[in-house]
Amino acid sequence: MTRYSRYWTAFLTIFTKELLRFTRIWLQTILPPAITTTLYYIIFGNLIGSRIGEMDGFSYIDFIVPGLILMAVITNSYSNVVSSFFSSKYQHHVEELIISPVPNWIILAGYVAGGVSRGVLVGVTVTAVSLFFTDIQVQSYGWTLMVFVLTAILFSLAGFINAVYANSFDDITIVPTFILTPLTYLGGVFYSINMLPEFWQQVSLANPILYMVNAFRYGLLGVSDISMVAALGIVVLFILALTTFSLMLLSRGIGIKT
Amino acid sequence: MNALAISDLRKVYKNGFEALKGIDINVAEGDFFALLGPNGAGKSTAIGIISSLVNKTSGQVEVFGHDLDKDPEAVKSCIGLVPQEFNFNMWERIGEIVVNQAGFYGIPRKEAWRRAEASLKQLDLWDKRNQMSRTLSGGMKRRLMIARALVHRPKLLILDEPTAGVDIEIRRSMWAFMSELNAQGTTIILTTHYLEEAESLCRNIAIINQGRIVENTRMDQLLRQLHTETFVLNLRDPLADLPGLDGFQLKRLDEQRIEVAINSDQSINHLFEQLTNKGVGITSMRNKQNRLEQLFINMLENSRNGAAQ
Ligand SMILES: Nc1ncnc2c1ncn2[C@@H]1O[C@H](COP(=O)(O)OP(=O)(O)OP(=O)(O)O)[C@@H](O)[C@H]1O
Ligand SMILES: [Mg+2]
């Protein structure tokens, strides 16, 4: 058993565990985002959207599709990791991992891979629903998938960090409610930031979700409020920063060891 | 080589409590070692540090020559841990728990199932492999943790009160199981509050109290230190008044039972002679306390008095 085959087995074990965890309860994990998005399309797309008119040259429903899909990816990858890792702390079975000769980056990779799988699976489901309600032509499948994966990685990491610091089930809902949801809604999901006054446009540029929504909109529709290189660069930068931070938390044992 | 070498290990918890005040412990390879001490002494803290669950404040830990700071993976690979508290997923199946633990150690799934089958069968849990772990009884949960700890065939097995809440029949089978493992070469460190368990299983012993080692020696040597043993005598006939004896202090427990302390330089024959002369008939006798228990209590009293001065 070489070191790296040992690591690979450990990674597969964590990843498979995560995969089974959310697919077994698909009624709670995969189905709800599909239903919510359908409701969004009916209400904002058809009922209200028809009165809004065009945005950036697209019908309103087509314009909000990328944001809605990405919102589902974000919340699902985040909540998968935060609830799974927190419950492993809460029930103490995280100790099974800590006493094992698994390096921290494998632990992190295993949990993130689980979150990414759920994010991408939900993203694909919601995209399928979207294609049913709209007549969008996907501009670039490669780009679309890349944004899916990068977004899911970023928010899996964020969910992980939230779980590390959480001491109660309340703590794992506070961040999504008070930070994630506002950032998502203000990240240009439902509007183009060109509509905002100059000042709020500048403020919006500090919101990482804005870059993802726009990068994703570019993949689906071929339009964006901002430069693609900047969008990609910023997302990758955030991923690197959160990865470093997560590994630091793990190596210090914060929230896990006493 | 030592299976475990700890030197000057200290632990101060975040709230400022000093749980370990610089302890040294050496456990030889192949040993069956008892780590004893009253509630809150620091046993689980020490075990937590050895198994990477607790960060140490200072000091050194080596397991089979691997330094915990320099090569934690090598240290972890050597150790199997049965913790004091249940720490498995209550919503996971018994078989999966053991197989996944093997997976974390890098054992591929097929081999992991083979090993899980062996260790679950040894602990009489194989038939329950598809049950959720929360459906097990307390004693079964303890055995599940033992099966899980053995799946990667550790050279050093650390058991933190494995027999707590386990019925006597299963406790006996666990003793036989642990002895067998030890005979096959696994070094074992055991904590327990059943001192007869430690006395009958372990060859070496460390006693820890309030974060300090108060005794660390061979079990047989320790037992030899016992200067006084107290016996309870059951009398044939009810006794109204205690007879005065030469050199022995009797204590009346009830009408038909008396207690007597015998020093190691006295002889029991001498006691019986006197009792026979006074017409007191004895039907049976027993040790008031298990010998280790008596030593243990003396020792804790001494260390408490020492601390008070
Ligand atoms: N996380 C913690 N924070 C602060 N103090 C702690 C923590 N964990 C343990 N302690 C304290 O450290 C001391 C030693 O605890 P430990 O669990 O090591 O005792 P023990 O010898 O295993 O006792 P027992 O026989 O009851 O299991 C106790 O006083 C305990 O209250
Ligand atoms: Mg303890």
Short mmCIF file of all heavy atoms in Angstrom, two decimals, chain B residues 56-97:
data_model
loop_
_atom_site.label_atom_id
_atom_site.label_comp_id
_atom_site.label_asym_id
_atom_site.label_seq_id
_atom_site.Cartn_x
_atom_site.Cartn_y
_atom_site.Cartn_z
N LYS B 56 -1.85 18.88 22.61
CA LYS B 56 -1.11 18.99 23.86
C LYS B 56 -0.61 20.42 24.04
O LYS B 56 -0.48 21.17 23.06
CB LYS B 56 0.06 18.01 23.88
CG LYS B 56 1.12 18.25 22.82
CD LYS B 56 2.14 17.12 22.89
CE LYS B 56 3.01 17.03 21.66
NZ LYS B 56 3.91 18.16 21.45
N THR B 57 -0.35 20.79 25.29
CA THR B 57 0.20 22.11 25.55
C THR B 57 1.72 22.07 25.43
O THR B 57 2.33 22.94 24.83
CB THR B 57 -0.22 22.60 26.95
OG1 THR B 57 -1.65 22.54 27.03
CG2 THR B 57 0.24 24.02 27.20
N SER B 58 2.33 21.03 26.01
CA SER B 58 3.77 20.81 25.81
C SER B 58 4.09 19.37 26.16
O SER B 58 3.25 18.64 26.68
CB SER B 58 4.58 21.77 26.68
OG SER B 58 4.39 21.45 28.04
N GLY B 59 5.33 18.99 25.86
CA GLY B 59 5.75 17.63 26.14
C GLY B 59 5.90 16.82 24.87
O GLY B 59 5.69 17.34 23.77
N GLN B 60 6.31 15.55 25.05
CA GLN B 60 6.62 14.72 23.90
C GLN B 60 5.87 13.41 23.94
O GLN B 60 5.68 12.82 25.00
CB GLN B 60 8.12 14.41 23.92
CG GLN B 60 8.86 15.01 22.74
CD GLN B 60 10.13 14.24 22.48
OE1 GLN B 60 10.67 13.60 23.38
NE2 GLN B 60 10.61 14.29 21.25
N VAL B 61 5.42 12.97 22.77
CA VAL B 61 4.76 11.67 22.67
C VAL B 61 5.42 10.90 21.53
O VAL B 61 5.55 11.40 20.42
CB VAL B 61 3.26 11.84 22.35
CG1 VAL B 61 2.61 10.47 22.16
CG2 VAL B 61 2.55 12.62 23.44
N GLU B 62 5.87 9.68 21.84
CA GLU B 62 6.39 8.82 20.79
C GLU B 62 5.66 7.49 20.82
O GLU B 62 5.46 6.92 21.88
CB GLU B 62 7.89 8.56 21.02
CG GLU B 62 8.77 9.63 20.43
CD GLU B 62 10.25 9.27 20.56
OE1 GLU B 62 10.58 8.07 20.70
OE2 GLU B 62 11.07 10.20 20.53
N VAL B 63 5.28 7.03 19.63
CA VAL B 63 4.61 5.74 19.52
C VAL B 63 5.45 4.87 18.59
O VAL B 63 5.67 5.24 17.43
CB VAL B 63 3.17 5.90 18.98
CG1 VAL B 63 2.53 4.55 18.75
CG2 VAL B 63 2.34 6.73 19.96
N PHE B 64 5.94 3.75 19.10
CA PHE B 64 6.85 2.88 18.36
C PHE B 64 7.96 3.69 17.69
O PHE B 64 8.28 3.49 16.52
CB PHE B 64 6.09 2.05 17.32
CG PHE B 64 5.27 0.96 17.97
CD1 PHE B 64 3.91 1.13 18.20
CD2 PHE B 64 5.86 -0.23 18.39
CE1 PHE B 64 3.16 0.14 18.80
CE2 PHE B 64 5.13 -1.23 18.99
CZ PHE B 64 3.77 -1.04 19.21
N GLY B 65 8.50 4.65 18.43
CA GLY B 65 9.63 5.43 17.92
C GLY B 65 9.25 6.59 17.01
O GLY B 65 10.11 7.39 16.64
N HIS B 66 7.97 6.71 16.64
CA HIS B 66 7.55 7.84 15.79
C HIS B 66 7.12 9.00 16.68
O HIS B 66 6.31 8.82 17.59
CB HIS B 66 6.38 7.45 14.89
CG HIS B 66 6.63 6.26 14.05
ND1 HIS B 66 7.55 6.24 13.02
CD2 HIS B 66 6.09 5.01 14.09
CE1 HIS B 66 7.55 5.04 12.46
NE2 HIS B 66 6.68 4.27 13.09
N ASP B 67 7.65 10.17 16.37
CA ASP B 67 7.30 11.35 17.14
C ASP B 67 5.97 11.93 16.64
O ASP B 67 5.76 12.11 15.45
CB ASP B 67 8.41 12.40 16.98
CG ASP B 67 8.18 13.58 17.89
OD1 ASP B 67 7.16 14.29 17.75
OD2 ASP B 67 9.03 13.80 18.76
N LEU B 68 5.08 12.20 17.60
CA LEU B 68 3.74 12.69 17.23
C LEU B 68 3.80 14.01 16.47
O LEU B 68 2.99 14.25 15.57
CB LEU B 68 2.88 12.84 18.49
CG LEU B 68 1.45 13.31 18.30
CD1 LEU B 68 0.65 12.32 17.48
CD2 LEU B 68 0.77 13.51 19.65
N ASP B 69 4.75 14.88 16.81
CA ASP B 69 4.84 16.17 16.12
C ASP B 69 5.43 16.04 14.73
O ASP B 69 5.03 16.73 13.81
CB ASP B 69 5.71 17.15 16.92
CG ASP B 69 5.05 17.51 18.24
OD1 ASP B 69 3.82 17.66 18.25
OD2 ASP B 69 5.76 17.61 19.26
N LYS B 70 6.41 15.13 14.61
CA LYS B 70 7.13 15.06 13.34
C LYS B 70 6.45 14.15 12.34
O LYS B 70 6.46 14.41 11.14
CB LYS B 70 8.56 14.57 13.58
CG LYS B 70 9.38 15.56 14.38
CD LYS B 70 10.86 15.21 14.35
CE LYS B 70 11.61 16.00 15.40
NZ LYS B 70 12.09 15.14 16.51
N ASP B 71 5.87 13.05 12.80
CA ASP B 71 5.28 12.11 11.86
C ASP B 71 3.93 11.59 12.39
O ASP B 71 3.78 10.42 12.73
CB ASP B 71 6.24 10.94 11.62
CG ASP B 71 5.87 10.15 10.37
OD1 ASP B 71 4.79 10.45 9.78
OD2 ASP B 71 6.63 9.24 9.98
N PRO B 72 2.93 12.49 12.45
CA PRO B 72 1.64 12.09 13.02
C PRO B 72 0.99 10.92 12.27
O PRO B 72 0.34 10.08 12.89
CB PRO B 72 0.79 13.36 12.91
CG PRO B 72 1.48 14.23 11.93
CD PRO B 72 2.93 13.89 12.01
N GLU B 73 1.21 10.84 10.96
CA GLU B 73 0.56 9.75 10.22
C GLU B 73 1.10 8.39 10.64
O GLU B 73 0.34 7.42 10.76
CB GLU B 73 0.75 9.93 8.71
CG GLU B 73 -0.25 10.90 8.13
CD GLU B 73 -0.09 11.04 6.61
OE1 GLU B 73 0.18 10.03 5.95
OE2 GLU B 73 -0.25 12.16 6.13
N ALA B 74 2.41 8.31 10.88
CA ALA B 74 3.00 7.04 11.31
C ALA B 74 2.45 6.67 12.69
O ALA B 74 2.12 5.51 12.96
CB ALA B 74 4.51 7.15 11.36
N VAL B 75 2.34 7.68 13.56
CA VAL B 75 1.80 7.43 14.90
C VAL B 75 0.36 6.91 14.79
O VAL B 75 0.01 5.90 15.39
CB VAL B 75 1.84 8.73 15.74
CG1 VAL B 75 1.03 8.57 17.02
CG2 VAL B 75 3.28 9.10 16.06
N LYS B 76 -0.45 7.60 13.99
CA LYS B 76 -1.86 7.22 13.87
C LYS B 76 -2.02 5.82 13.30
O LYS B 76 -2.92 5.08 13.70
CB LYS B 76 -2.59 8.22 12.98
CG LYS B 76 -2.75 9.60 13.60
CD LYS B 76 -3.36 10.56 12.59
CE LYS B 76 -3.55 11.95 13.16
NZ LYS B 76 -4.20 12.85 12.17
N SER B 77 -1.13 5.45 12.36
CA SER B 77 -1.26 4.12 11.75
C SER B 77 -1.05 3.01 12.77
O SER B 77 -1.56 1.90 12.59
CB SER B 77 -0.22 3.95 10.63
OG SER B 77 -0.41 4.95 9.67
N CYS B 78 -0.29 3.30 13.83
CA CYS B 78 0.02 2.26 14.82
C CYS B 78 -1.11 2.07 15.84
O CYS B 78 -1.15 1.05 16.53
CB CYS B 78 1.27 2.63 15.61
SG CYS B 78 2.76 2.69 14.63
N ILE B 79 -1.98 3.08 15.97
CA ILE B 79 -2.91 3.09 17.10
C ILE B 79 -4.32 2.68 16.71
O ILE B 79 -4.85 3.09 15.68
CB ILE B 79 -2.96 4.51 17.73
CG1 ILE B 79 -1.58 4.91 18.24
CG2 ILE B 79 -3.98 4.57 18.86
CD1 ILE B 79 -1.53 6.31 18.80
N GLY B 80 -4.95 1.89 17.57
CA GLY B 80 -6.38 1.65 17.48
C GLY B 80 -7.00 2.21 18.74
O GLY B 80 -6.50 1.97 19.84
N LEU B 81 -8.07 2.99 18.61
CA LEU B 81 -8.63 3.66 19.78
C LEU B 81 -10.08 3.25 20.04
O LEU B 81 -10.91 3.28 19.15
CB LEU B 81 -8.58 5.18 19.58
CG LEU B 81 -9.28 6.00 20.67
CD1 LEU B 81 -8.52 5.94 21.98
CD2 LEU B 81 -9.46 7.45 20.23
N VAL B 82 -10.35 2.86 21.28
CA VAL B 82 -11.73 2.66 21.71
C VAL B 82 -12.01 3.76 22.73
O VAL B 82 -11.57 3.70 23.87
CB VAL B 82 -11.92 1.28 22.37
CG1 VAL B 82 -13.36 1.11 22.84
CG2 VAL B 82 -11.55 0.18 21.40
N PRO B 83 -12.70 4.82 22.30
CA PRO B 83 -12.86 5.97 23.19
C PRO B 83 -13.89 5.71 24.28
O PRO B 83 -14.64 4.73 24.23
CB PRO B 83 -13.34 7.07 22.26
CG PRO B 83 -14.00 6.37 21.14
CD PRO B 83 -13.34 5.03 21.01
N GLN B 84 -13.89 6.60 25.28
CA GLN B 84 -14.81 6.43 26.40
C GLN B 84 -16.26 6.69 25.98
O GLN B 84 -17.17 6.00 26.40
CB GLN B 84 -14.40 7.40 27.51
CG GLN B 84 -15.24 7.29 28.76
CD GLN B 84 -14.68 8.15 29.89
OE1 GLN B 84 -13.74 8.90 29.72
NE2 GLN B 84 -15.29 8.04 31.06
N GLU B 85 -16.45 7.73 25.14
CA GLU B 85 -17.81 8.08 24.72
C GLU B 85 -18.08 7.50 23.33
O GLU B 85 -17.17 7.41 22.52
CB GLU B 85 -17.95 9.61 24.63
CG GLU B 85 -17.42 10.38 25.82
CD GLU B 85 -18.38 10.35 27.00
OE1 GLU B 85 -19.55 9.96 26.80
OE2 GLU B 85 -17.96 10.71 28.11
N PHE B 86 -19.36 7.17 23.09
CA PHE B 86 -19.70 6.68 21.75
C PHE B 86 -19.43 7.78 20.74
O PHE B 86 -19.84 8.93 20.93
CB PHE B 86 -21.18 6.29 21.68
CG PHE B 86 -21.55 5.21 22.65
CD1 PHE B 86 -22.67 5.32 23.46
CD2 PHE B 86 -20.76 4.07 22.77
CE1 PHE B 86 -22.99 4.32 24.37
CE2 PHE B 86 -21.07 3.07 23.67
CZ PHE B 86 -22.19 3.19 24.48
N ASN B 87 -18.74 7.45 19.68
CA ASN B 87 -18.44 8.49 18.69
C ASN B 87 -18.60 7.98 17.27
O ASN B 87 -17.76 8.24 16.42
CB ASN B 87 -17.04 9.06 18.91
CG ASN B 87 -15.96 8.06 18.55
OD1 ASN B 87 -16.21 6.87 18.48
ND2 ASN B 87 -14.76 8.54 18.30
N PHE B 88 -19.69 7.21 17.06
CA PHE B 88 -19.94 6.83 15.66
C PHE B 88 -21.26 7.46 15.24
O PHE B 88 -22.02 7.96 16.07
CB PHE B 88 -19.98 5.31 15.50
CG PHE B 88 -20.70 4.60 16.60
CD1 PHE B 88 -22.08 4.54 16.62
CD2 PHE B 88 -19.99 4.00 17.64
CE1 PHE B 88 -22.75 3.90 17.64
CE2 PHE B 88 -20.66 3.36 18.67
CZ PHE B 88 -22.03 3.32 18.67
N ASN B 89 -21.48 7.44 13.94
CA ASN B 89 -22.69 8.02 13.38
C ASN B 89 -23.88 7.11 13.72
O ASN B 89 -23.90 5.94 13.35
CB ASN B 89 -22.52 8.13 11.86
CG ASN B 89 -23.64 8.89 11.21
OD1 ASN B 89 -24.71 9.07 11.80
ND2 ASN B 89 -23.40 9.34 10.00
N MET B 90 -24.85 7.66 14.44
CA MET B 90 -25.99 6.86 14.88
C MET B 90 -26.89 6.46 13.70
O MET B 90 -27.72 5.59 13.82
CB MET B 90 -26.82 7.63 15.90
CG MET B 90 -26.09 7.84 17.22
SD MET B 90 -25.83 6.29 18.10
CE MET B 90 -24.60 6.77 19.30
N TRP B 91 -26.71 7.16 12.58
CA TRP B 91 -27.53 6.86 11.41
C TRP B 91 -26.75 6.12 10.32
O TRP B 91 -27.07 6.18 9.16
CB TRP B 91 -28.15 8.15 10.84
CG TRP B 91 -29.41 8.50 11.56
CD1 TRP B 91 -30.68 8.14 11.20
CD2 TRP B 91 -29.53 9.25 12.77
NE1 TRP B 91 -31.57 8.62 12.12
CE2 TRP B 91 -30.91 9.31 13.09
CE3 TRP B 91 -28.62 9.87 13.61
CZ2 TRP B 91 -31.39 9.97 14.22
CZ3 TRP B 91 -29.09 10.53 14.74
CH2 TRP B 91 -30.46 10.57 15.03
N GLU B 92 -25.71 5.44 10.76
CA GLU B 92 -24.92 4.67 9.80
C GLU B 92 -25.03 3.19 10.18
O GLU B 92 -25.19 2.86 11.36
CB GLU B 92 -23.45 5.13 9.87
CG GLU B 92 -22.64 4.78 8.65
CD GLU B 92 -21.24 5.40 8.69
OE1 GLU B 92 -20.93 6.14 9.64
OE2 GLU B 92 -20.46 5.12 7.78
N ARG B 93 -24.94 2.32 9.18
CA ARG B 93 -25.03 0.89 9.46
C ARG B 93 -23.73 0.38 10.07
O ARG B 93 -22.65 0.87 9.73
CB ARG B 93 -25.35 0.13 8.18
CG ARG B 93 -26.77 0.30 7.74
CD ARG B 93 -27.02 -0.24 6.34
NE ARG B 93 -28.00 0.60 5.68
CZ ARG B 93 -29.31 0.55 5.96
NH1 ARG B 93 -29.78 -0.31 6.85
NH2 ARG B 93 -30.15 1.35 5.35
N ILE B 94 -23.89 -0.64 10.93
CA ILE B 94 -22.75 -1.17 11.67
C ILE B 94 -21.61 -1.60 10.74
O ILE B 94 -20.45 -1.24 10.96
CB ILE B 94 -23.21 -2.34 12.56
CG1 ILE B 94 -23.95 -1.77 13.76
CG2 ILE B 94 -22.07 -3.20 13.04
CD1 ILE B 94 -25.35 -2.17 13.90
N GLY B 95 -21.96 -2.35 9.69
CA GLY B 95 -20.94 -2.81 8.75
C GLY B 95 -20.22 -1.64 8.11
O GLY B 95 -19.00 -1.61 8.00
N GLU B 96 -21.01 -0.64 7.69
CA GLU B 96 -20.43 0.53 7.02
C GLU B 96 -19.48 1.29 7.94
O GLU B 96 -18.46 1.81 7.51
CB GLU B 96 -21.55 1.49 6.58
CG GLU B 96 -22.47 0.93 5.51
CD GLU B 96 -21.81 0.89 4.15
OE1 GLU B 96 -20.94 1.74 3.90
OE2 GLU B 96 -22.15 -0.02 3.36
N ILE B 97 -19.85 1.37 9.21
CA ILE B 97 -19.00 2.10 10.16
C ILE B 97 -17.60 1.49 10.19
O ILE B 97 -16.60 2.20 10.11
CB ILE B 97 -19.64 2.08 11.57
CG1 ILE B 97 -20.85 3.01 11.59
CG2 ILE B 97 -18.63 2.49 12.63
CD1 ILE B 97 -21.63 2.99 12.89
#
